[in-house]
Amino acid sequence: MAKGVVVKQQRRTQEQRSTEMRTRLLDATVDCLVEYGYAGTTTPRVAERAGVTRGAQVHHFGSKTDLVVAAISHLAQLRAETAMREMPLVEGGADPVVAVLEFLWELHQGPLFIATVELWVAGRTDPVLAAALGRVEPFVNNAVLMAVARFVPDDVRRKEARDFVYTAMDALRGILIANFIERDAERAHRRWHRGCAHLREIANVALAVHPAEQSPRSNRD
């Protein structure tokens, strides 16, 4: 008669538990930035959202600044991972410029962008946060460019193409930030489509995309 095999569950190491606790606190910080804004993101609220004691929170992050600086890197990682994850979901189509613009729109929807804006604004008057943001933004931008390369692999390495992507993101972010006050998603989308018409005209020159190469959809806009 065969003996029963007892599978002993492996216990988590202290390092694993510590990493999990930090991640819970950082995720909770992002949630609080979205719900309460930077000013309303306090360490007690973060601890409560994470479901941990204040003592545990202080053990990992001694101050709000420590917590938010770590959250900046955590959020940057989430933004970069989102860019690479969303990339295969966008159809390239006949017009790569349209694909890029639609990809950028989708990438800037949701709580990650809102939390990022809260940190950008806070960094305007806080040199510690500004320095932390300055370290991670190039990392996020590089992930976006890598994702865009799927649509225009030959062009994205050119300075003109990179400049176009940055200009498109600047325009999109301005529209979305203005919409924080109006809170009209449809209006923001209409403004973005209007901006895309101008951006495609810029792309025709900067990326040498001729009208004959554009899709019928882009010609109708």
Side-chain angles (χ1 to χ4, degrees):
M1 181 176 176
K3 294 182 178 181
V5 178
V6 178
V7 178
K8 189 174 182 180
Q9 186 175 5
Q10 186 175 8
R11 297 183 62 182
R12 293 176 301 164
T13 65
Q14 179 60 38
E15 182 179 359
Q16 288 172 325
R17 290 195 296 270
S18 178
T19 298
E20 290 173 3
M21 178 67 75
R22 287 175 63 88
T23 300
R24 286 172 62 183
L25 286 165
L26 295 176
D27 285 339
T29 302
V30 173
D31 290 343
C32 286
L33 286 168
V34 174
E35 185 170 351
Y36 304 111
Y38 176 76
T41 297
T42 63
T43 50
R45 271 181 170 163
V46 170
E48 181 181 5
R49 178 63 64 93
V52 305
T53 65
R54 283 280 287 122
Q57 176 260 305
V58 172
H59 174 73
H60 290 279
F61 302 102
S63 67
K64 177 178 176 177
T65 298
D66 294 337
L67 180 62
V68 174
V69 167
I72 287 172
S73 296
H74 181 65
L75 184 57
Q77 182 67 39
L78 294 175
R79 291 164 62 201
E81 290 173 356
T82 300
M84 302 309 293
R85 185 174 63 249
E86 293 292 326
M87 174 186 65
L89 303 181
V90 179
E91 295 295 333
D95 188 340
V97 174
V98 170
V100 168
L101 295 175
E102 290 182 351
F103 169 73
L104 292 177
W105 169 266
E106 294 299 330
L107 192 61
H108 285 77
Q109 304 306 301
L112 295 185
F113 175 67
I114 296 173
T116 300
V117 172
E118 288 291 333
L119 293 171
W120 286 343
V121 174
R124 185 184 71 84
T125 55
D126 189 321
V128 175
L129 299 188
L133 288 163
R135 288 192 294 270
V136 302
E137 286 302 313
F139 167 73
V140 179
N141 289 338
N142 187 59
V144 174
L145 290 174
M146 289 176 61
V148 167
R150 171 179 179 267
F151 308 114
V152 283
D154 295 330
D155 285 337
V156 77
R157 295 176 181 85
R158 290 166 44 193
K159 182 179 184 300
E160 294 87 347
R162 293 194 299 272
D163 288 347
F164 172 77
V165 173
Y166 291 137
T167 298
M169 286 196 295
D170 288 343
L172 174 57
R173 289 167 178 176
I175 290 170
L176 293 176
I177 290 173
N179 197 58
F180 288 166
I181 298 174
E182 298 172 350
R183 297 184 181 276
D184 185 344
E186 290 301 320
R187 186 175 186 184
H189 212 169
R190 289 196 303 271
R191 286 180 171 178
W192 174 236
H193 280 302
R194 183 177 65 200
C196 285
H198 297 292
L199 287 167
R200 284 198 294 272
E201 291 178 4
I202 295 172
N204 290 344
V205 177
L207 306 181
V209 178
H210 301 292
E213 298 172 355
Q214 294 184 342
S215 67
R217 173 184 173 181
S218 64
N219 290 332
R220 288 197 303 267
D221 292 342

Short mmCIF file of all heavy atoms in Angstrom, two decimals, residues 45-83:
data_model
loop_
_atom_site.label_atom_id
_atom_site.label_comp_id
_atom_site.label_asym_id
_atom_site.label_seq_id
_atom_site.Cartn_x
_atom_site.Cartn_y
_atom_site.Cartn_z
N ARG A 45 -3.95 57.25 6.09
CA ARG A 45 -4.87 56.78 5.05
C ARG A 45 -4.25 55.65 4.24
O ARG A 45 -4.92 54.68 3.89
CB ARG A 45 -5.24 57.94 4.13
CG ARG A 45 -6.44 58.73 4.58
CD ARG A 45 -6.76 59.85 3.62
NE ARG A 45 -8.05 60.45 3.95
CZ ARG A 45 -8.46 61.64 3.51
NH1 ARG A 45 -7.67 62.35 2.71
NH2 ARG A 45 -9.65 62.11 3.84
N VAL A 46 -2.98 55.78 3.94
CA VAL A 46 -2.30 54.74 3.17
C VAL A 46 -2.27 53.44 3.96
O VAL A 46 -2.55 52.35 3.42
CB VAL A 46 -0.88 55.18 2.79
CG1 VAL A 46 -0.09 54.00 2.20
CG2 VAL A 46 -0.92 56.33 1.78
N ALA A 47 -1.95 53.52 5.25
CA ALA A 47 -1.91 52.32 6.08
C ALA A 47 -3.28 51.67 6.15
O ALA A 47 -3.41 50.44 6.05
CB ALA A 47 -1.41 52.68 7.48
N GLU A 48 -4.32 52.50 6.30
CA GLU A 48 -5.68 51.96 6.36
C GLU A 48 -6.05 51.29 5.04
O GLU A 48 -6.63 50.20 5.03
CB GLU A 48 -6.66 53.08 6.68
CG GLU A 48 -8.11 52.61 6.79
CD GLU A 48 -9.06 53.75 7.09
OE1 GLU A 48 -8.61 54.92 7.11
OE2 GLU A 48 -10.26 53.48 7.29
N ARG A 49 -5.73 51.96 3.90
CA ARG A 49 -6.06 51.39 2.59
C ARG A 49 -5.30 50.08 2.37
O ARG A 49 -5.84 49.14 1.77
CB ARG A 49 -5.71 52.40 1.49
CG ARG A 49 -5.96 51.92 0.06
CD ARG A 49 -7.43 51.62 -0.19
NE ARG A 49 -8.25 52.81 -0.08
CZ ARG A 49 -8.58 53.60 -1.10
NH1 ARG A 49 -8.15 53.31 -2.31
NH2 ARG A 49 -9.34 54.65 -0.91
N ALA A 50 -4.08 50.01 2.84
CA ALA A 50 -3.27 48.80 2.66
C ALA A 50 -3.67 47.69 3.63
O ALA A 50 -3.27 46.53 3.46
CB ALA A 50 -1.80 49.13 2.83
N GLY A 51 -4.43 48.05 4.67
CA GLY A 51 -4.83 47.06 5.66
C GLY A 51 -3.70 46.66 6.58
O GLY A 51 -3.61 45.50 7.01
N VAL A 52 -2.82 47.61 6.90
CA VAL A 52 -1.69 47.33 7.78
C VAL A 52 -1.71 48.33 8.94
O VAL A 52 -2.39 49.36 8.88
CB VAL A 52 -0.34 47.41 7.04
CG1 VAL A 52 -0.35 46.49 5.82
CG2 VAL A 52 -0.04 48.85 6.61
N THR A 53 -0.97 48.05 9.97
CA THR A 53 -0.90 48.95 11.11
C THR A 53 0.00 50.14 10.79
O THR A 53 0.85 50.08 9.89
CB THR A 53 -0.35 48.23 12.34
OG1 THR A 53 1.01 47.85 12.09
CG2 THR A 53 -1.17 46.99 12.65
N ARG A 54 -0.20 51.21 11.54
CA ARG A 54 0.67 52.38 11.36
C ARG A 54 2.11 52.00 11.67
O ARG A 54 3.04 52.50 11.03
CB ARG A 54 0.21 53.52 12.26
CG ARG A 54 -1.00 54.24 11.77
CD ARG A 54 -0.68 55.26 10.66
NE ARG A 54 0.00 56.42 11.22
CZ ARG A 54 1.18 56.85 10.85
NH1 ARG A 54 1.86 56.20 9.93
NH2 ARG A 54 1.73 57.93 11.40
N GLY A 55 2.29 51.13 12.66
CA GLY A 55 3.65 50.71 13.00
C GLY A 55 4.34 50.01 11.84
O GLY A 55 5.52 50.24 11.58
N ALA A 56 3.58 49.16 11.13
CA ALA A 56 4.15 48.46 9.98
C ALA A 56 4.49 49.44 8.87
O ALA A 56 5.51 49.32 8.19
CB ALA A 56 3.17 47.42 9.47
N GLN A 57 3.62 50.43 8.69
CA GLN A 57 3.87 51.44 7.64
C GLN A 57 5.13 52.23 7.96
O GLN A 57 6.00 52.44 7.10
CB GLN A 57 2.66 52.35 7.51
CG GLN A 57 2.86 53.50 6.53
CD GLN A 57 3.20 54.79 7.23
OE1 GLN A 57 2.46 55.23 8.12
NE2 GLN A 57 4.32 55.38 6.89
N VAL A 58 5.25 52.67 9.24
CA VAL A 58 6.42 53.46 9.64
C VAL A 58 7.69 52.63 9.55
O VAL A 58 8.78 53.15 9.24
CB VAL A 58 6.22 54.02 11.06
CG1 VAL A 58 7.50 54.67 11.57
CG2 VAL A 58 5.07 55.02 11.09
N HIS A 59 7.59 51.35 9.80
CA HIS A 59 8.76 50.47 9.72
C HIS A 59 9.35 50.47 8.30
O HIS A 59 10.57 50.46 8.13
CB HIS A 59 8.38 49.04 10.12
CG HIS A 59 9.48 48.05 9.92
ND1 HIS A 59 10.60 47.99 10.72
CD2 HIS A 59 9.64 47.08 8.96
CE1 HIS A 59 11.40 47.03 10.29
NE2 HIS A 59 10.85 46.46 9.23
N HIS A 60 8.48 50.49 7.30
CA HIS A 60 8.95 50.45 5.91
C HIS A 60 9.19 51.84 5.33
O HIS A 60 10.11 52.02 4.53
CB HIS A 60 7.93 49.70 5.05
CG HIS A 60 7.86 48.24 5.34
ND1 HIS A 60 8.77 47.33 4.83
CD2 HIS A 60 7.00 47.51 6.10
CE1 HIS A 60 8.48 46.11 5.25
NE2 HIS A 60 7.41 46.19 6.02
N PHE A 61 8.37 52.80 5.72
CA PHE A 61 8.50 54.16 5.19
C PHE A 61 8.29 55.12 6.35
O PHE A 61 7.18 55.29 6.85
CB PHE A 61 7.47 54.41 4.09
CG PHE A 61 7.56 53.46 2.93
CD1 PHE A 61 6.65 52.41 2.81
CD2 PHE A 61 8.57 53.57 1.98
CE1 PHE A 61 6.73 51.52 1.76
CE2 PHE A 61 8.67 52.68 0.93
CZ PHE A 61 7.74 51.64 0.81
N GLY A 62 9.37 55.75 6.78
CA GLY A 62 9.33 56.56 7.98
C GLY A 62 8.55 57.85 7.86
O GLY A 62 8.13 58.41 8.87
N SER A 63 8.36 58.34 6.65
CA SER A 63 7.65 59.60 6.46
C SER A 63 6.85 59.55 5.17
O SER A 63 7.02 58.65 4.34
CB SER A 63 8.65 60.77 6.38
OG SER A 63 9.44 60.66 5.21
N LYS A 64 5.99 60.55 5.00
CA LYS A 64 5.22 60.63 3.76
C LYS A 64 6.15 60.80 2.57
O LYS A 64 5.93 60.20 1.51
CB LYS A 64 4.22 61.79 3.82
CG LYS A 64 3.45 61.98 2.52
CD LYS A 64 2.44 63.10 2.60
CE LYS A 64 1.75 63.33 1.26
NZ LYS A 64 0.71 64.38 1.31
N THR A 65 7.20 61.59 2.73
CA THR A 65 8.14 61.79 1.63
C THR A 65 8.79 60.48 1.22
O THR A 65 8.90 60.18 0.02
CB THR A 65 9.21 62.82 2.02
OG1 THR A 65 8.59 64.09 2.28
CG2 THR A 65 10.23 62.99 0.89
N ASP A 66 9.23 59.69 2.20
CA ASP A 66 9.83 58.38 1.89
C ASP A 66 8.84 57.52 1.12
O ASP A 66 9.21 56.84 0.15
CB ASP A 66 10.23 57.66 3.18
CG ASP A 66 11.36 58.37 3.92
OD1 ASP A 66 12.10 59.13 3.27
OD2 ASP A 66 11.47 58.17 5.14
N LEU A 67 7.60 57.54 1.57
CA LEU A 67 6.57 56.72 0.95
C LEU A 67 6.29 57.17 -0.49
O LEU A 67 6.23 56.35 -1.41
CB LEU A 67 5.29 56.80 1.78
CG LEU A 67 4.07 56.00 1.30
CD1 LEU A 67 4.38 54.51 1.28
CD2 LEU A 67 2.88 56.29 2.21
N VAL A 68 6.15 58.47 -0.68
CA VAL A 68 5.80 58.98 -2.01
C VAL A 68 6.97 58.82 -2.98
O VAL A 68 6.77 58.50 -4.16
CB VAL A 68 5.35 60.44 -1.92
CG1 VAL A 68 5.13 61.02 -3.32
CG2 VAL A 68 4.06 60.55 -1.12
N VAL A 69 8.19 59.03 -2.53
CA VAL A 69 9.35 58.84 -3.41
C VAL A 69 9.41 57.40 -3.90
O VAL A 69 9.66 57.12 -5.08
CB VAL A 69 10.65 59.23 -2.69
CG1 VAL A 69 11.87 58.73 -3.47
CG2 VAL A 69 10.73 60.74 -2.52
N ALA A 70 9.16 56.45 -3.00
CA ALA A 70 9.12 55.04 -3.41
C ALA A 70 7.95 54.78 -4.34
O ALA A 70 8.07 53.99 -5.29
CB ALA A 70 9.03 54.14 -2.17
N ALA A 71 6.81 55.44 -4.08
CA ALA A 71 5.64 55.26 -4.94
C ALA A 71 5.89 55.79 -6.34
O ALA A 71 5.32 55.28 -7.32
CB ALA A 71 4.43 55.95 -4.32
N ILE A 72 6.73 56.80 -6.47
CA ILE A 72 7.05 57.35 -7.80
C ILE A 72 7.72 56.28 -8.66
O ILE A 72 7.37 56.08 -9.82
CB ILE A 72 7.94 58.60 -7.66
CG1 ILE A 72 7.12 59.78 -7.14
CG2 ILE A 72 8.61 58.95 -8.99
CD1 ILE A 72 7.94 61.00 -6.79
N SER A 73 8.68 55.58 -8.08
CA SER A 73 9.34 54.50 -8.82
C SER A 73 8.38 53.35 -9.10
O SER A 73 8.38 52.76 -10.19
CB SER A 73 10.56 53.99 -8.04
OG SER A 73 11.54 55.00 -7.91
N HIS A 74 7.56 53.03 -8.11
CA HIS A 74 6.57 51.95 -8.28
C HIS A 74 5.58 52.29 -9.39
O HIS A 74 5.27 51.45 -10.24
CB HIS A 74 5.84 51.76 -6.95
CG HIS A 74 4.81 50.68 -6.96
ND1 HIS A 74 5.11 49.34 -7.13
CD2 HIS A 74 3.45 50.73 -6.82
CE1 HIS A 74 4.01 48.62 -7.09
NE2 HIS A 74 2.98 49.44 -6.91
N LEU A 75 5.11 53.52 -9.39
CA LEU A 75 4.16 53.96 -10.41
C LEU A 75 4.81 53.97 -11.79
O LEU A 75 4.17 53.60 -12.79
CB LEU A 75 3.64 55.35 -10.04
CG LEU A 75 2.55 55.95 -10.93
CD1 LEU A 75 1.33 55.05 -11.01
CD2 LEU A 75 2.16 57.33 -10.40
N ALA A 76 6.05 54.38 -11.87
CA ALA A 76 6.75 54.38 -13.15
C ALA A 76 6.86 52.97 -13.71
O ALA A 76 6.68 52.74 -14.92
CB ALA A 76 8.14 54.99 -12.99
N GLN A 77 7.13 52.00 -12.83
CA GLN A 77 7.20 50.60 -13.27
C GLN A 77 5.85 50.13 -13.80
O GLN A 77 5.77 49.47 -14.84
CB GLN A 77 7.63 49.72 -12.10
CG GLN A 77 7.80 48.25 -12.45
CD GLN A 77 8.95 47.99 -13.40
OE1 GLN A 77 10.00 48.62 -13.27
NE2 GLN A 77 8.76 47.10 -14.36
N LEU A 78 4.77 50.50 -13.10
CA LEU A 78 3.43 50.13 -13.55
C LEU A 78 3.10 50.77 -14.89
O LEU A 78 2.51 50.12 -15.78
CB LEU A 78 2.39 50.55 -12.51
CG LEU A 78 2.44 49.85 -11.15
CD1 LEU A 78 1.42 50.47 -10.20
CD2 LEU A 78 2.19 48.35 -11.30
N ARG A 79 3.49 52.02 -15.07
CA ARG A 79 3.22 52.72 -16.34
C ARG A 79 3.99 52.07 -17.49
O ARG A 79 3.44 51.88 -18.59
CB ARG A 79 3.60 54.19 -16.22
CG ARG A 79 2.69 55.00 -15.30
CD ARG A 79 3.32 56.32 -14.92
NE ARG A 79 3.55 57.17 -16.10
CZ ARG A 79 4.43 58.18 -16.09
NH1 ARG A 79 5.18 58.43 -15.01
NH2 ARG A 79 4.57 58.90 -17.17
N ALA A 80 5.24 51.72 -17.25
CA ALA A 80 6.03 51.07 -18.29
C ALA A 80 5.47 49.70 -18.63
O ALA A 80 5.38 49.32 -19.82
CB ALA A 80 7.49 50.96 -17.84
N GLU A 81 5.09 48.94 -17.61
CA GLU A 81 4.51 47.61 -17.86
C GLU A 81 3.20 47.73 -18.62
O GLU A 81 2.91 46.90 -19.50
CB GLU A 81 4.28 46.90 -16.53
CG GLU A 81 5.57 46.48 -15.83
CD GLU A 81 5.31 45.92 -14.45
OE1 GLU A 81 4.14 45.94 -14.00
OE2 GLU A 81 6.28 45.46 -13.80
N THR A 82 2.41 48.75 -18.32
CA THR A 82 1.15 48.96 -19.03
C THR A 82 1.40 49.26 -20.50
O THR A 82 0.69 48.75 -21.38
CB THR A 82 0.35 50.11 -18.40
OG1 THR A 82 0.07 49.78 -17.03
CG2 THR A 82 -0.96 50.34 -19.13
N ALA A 83 2.40 50.07 -20.78
CA ALA A 83 2.73 50.40 -22.18
C ALA A 83 3.07 49.14 -22.96
O ALA A 83 2.58 48.93 -24.08
CB ALA A 83 3.89 51.39 -22.23
#
